[in-house]
Amino acid sequence: MKSEADEAGDTSSVPTGVLDFSELDSSIQSFTRRFDDYVQSTIAACEEQRMTADGQRVEDHARIRELERECEATKHAQKELWESVASERDADAKLRASVQELHAQRATLSQRTVSLQSEVAEVRAQMEARSRHKQQLMERLREQVERNAPELAQLQHLTGCVIQPSLREGLIDIRFSLLSEDDPDRAYTVSLDVSKSEYAVAKCDPILPGATIRTLVRQVNASGDVYAFIKQVRRAMIERIRAT
């Protein structure tokens, strides 16, 4: 009986009301909703960032390809520039070589010009000297003719030899007559060229052979004795006439 009473007493000590978890459940649901919202917003933000990163990566790739193309174009342009520079350097080197060659040719021409001027001056001096020599010869001949005028007149009367200037400048005509007893008036003429440093016969009547004339000219050039030349020509003509 005591045990039943004790049990009855223990039963009276147990709470008889029901526990209220509504607030806890509401808090849990609110937390769950906020957590879901946070998760969704975080996922959305991550997706947006991913899309933004993908777009940026596409732009970066496009920019990289553009830079690569620009780099290739720059390399190509730089290659063409170096080739152009090399070509210009080669052309400049050739031009410098041509200029140096022209300078060398100019120096050679200048030296040649100086040499030619010297040669021209020398030739001119020689020509002037020859001209002076010729003038001196002509003057001496005139003086000799004037001095020998009486003798020449007598010579012309006795031998028929007449010396006078030719129509051509630098020539003296020597006319011989009284060579033949049969025809004393027959005259033969020899034209002596005195315009050069050596005497020469410009014209001669065919009475004398060419070999005889050349021999007499060599002799007068060797001796310079024109008087002896005249006598030898007259003697040769007389011998030729007598032989015919």
Side-chain angles (χ1 to χ4, degrees):
M1 291 295 294
K2 187 177 180 179
S3 60
E4 293 179 0
D6 292 335
E7 292 176 2
D10 292 336
T11 304
S12 62
S13 62
V14 176
T16 58
V18 179
L19 295 176
D20 188 5
F21 295 103
S22 59
E23 292 182 3
L24 178 60
D25 184 57
S26 177
S27 297
I28 291 172
Q29 292 179 1
S30 176
F31 172 77
T32 302
R33 285 194 301 273
R34 287 196 301 272
F35 183 76
D36 290 339
D37 292 340
Y38 171 75
V39 171
Q40 292 298 325
S41 61
T42 302
I43 292 172
C46 290
E47 185 66 21
E48 183 178 359
Q49 291 179 359
R50 186 186 64 77
M51 294 177 65
T52 302
D54 290 341
Q56 185 65 39
R57 186 167 55 256
V58 172
E59 292 179 359
D60 291 342
H61 281 281
R63 180 59 179 167
I64 289 171
R65 287 192 295 271
E66 182 179 358
L67 290 175
E68 288 177 348
R69 288 193 296 271
E70 291 180 357
C71 183
E72 290 297 326
T74 303
K75 289 180 179 179
H76 183 69
Q78 187 178 16
K79 180 181 178 181
E80 291 181 349
L81 178 61
W82 282 114
E83 291 177 352
S84 177
V85 169
S87 177
E88 290 179 359
R89 286 179 177 175
D90 185 58
D92 182 69
K94 292 180 179 179
L95 181 60
R96 290 178 182 273
S98 299
V99 170
Q100 291 178 356
E101 184 177 357
L102 288 175
H103 282 307
Q105 291 178 357
R106 180 181 178 184
T108 302
L109 288 176
S110 298
Q111 295 176 356
R112 182 58 180 165
T113 301
V114 172
S115 177
L116 288 176
Q117 289 176 349
S118 176
E119 292 178 5
V120 168
E122 183 178 355
V123 171
R124 185 175 297 159
Q126 292 177 358
M127 292 179 63
E128 291 176 354
R130 290 177 181 176
S131 178
R132 288 193 299 269
H133 179 68
K134 182 175 70 174
Q135 292 295 330
Q136 291 173 0
L137 289 177
M138 295 297 292
E139 290 295 330
R140 281 187 291 181
L141 184 60
R142 291 192 186 95
E143 293 175 358
Q144 187 70 29
V145 169
E146 292 176 359
R147 286 196 302 266
N148 298 335
E151 296 180 2
L152 287 174
Q154 185 178 6
L155 178 66
Q156 292 173 7
H157 177 71
L158 296 177
T159 64
C161 180
V162 179
I163 302 175
Q164 61 185 11
S166 176
L167 296 177
R168 289 176 56 188
E169 183 179 359
L171 297 183
I172 295 177
D173 289 338
I174 307 172
R175 186 166 57 87
F176 299 94
S177 61
L178 302 178
L179 300 178
S180 173
E181 295 178 357
D182 298 333
D183 189 5
D185 294 331
R186 173 71 184 274
Y188 301 90
T189 303
V190 175
S191 296
L192 185 64
D193 187 354
V194 295
S195 63
K196 300 178 181 178
S197 59
E198 292 187 350
Y199 297 108
V201 172
K203 183 177 65 174
C204 179
D205 284 330
I207 187 174
L208 291 180
T212 302
I213 293 296
R214 288 192 291 272
T215 301
L216 295 176
V217 168
R218 284 197 297 270
Q219 291 176 357
V220 71
N221 283 321
S223 63
D225 191 348
V226 178
Y227 180 68
F229 171 75
I230 295 173
K231 290 193 298 182
Q232 291 171 352
V233 170
R234 188 174 186 276
R235 184 181 302 113
M237 286 183 175
I238 293 173
E239 292 176 354
R240 186 71 176 174
I241 291 172
R242 289 177 179 176
T244 58

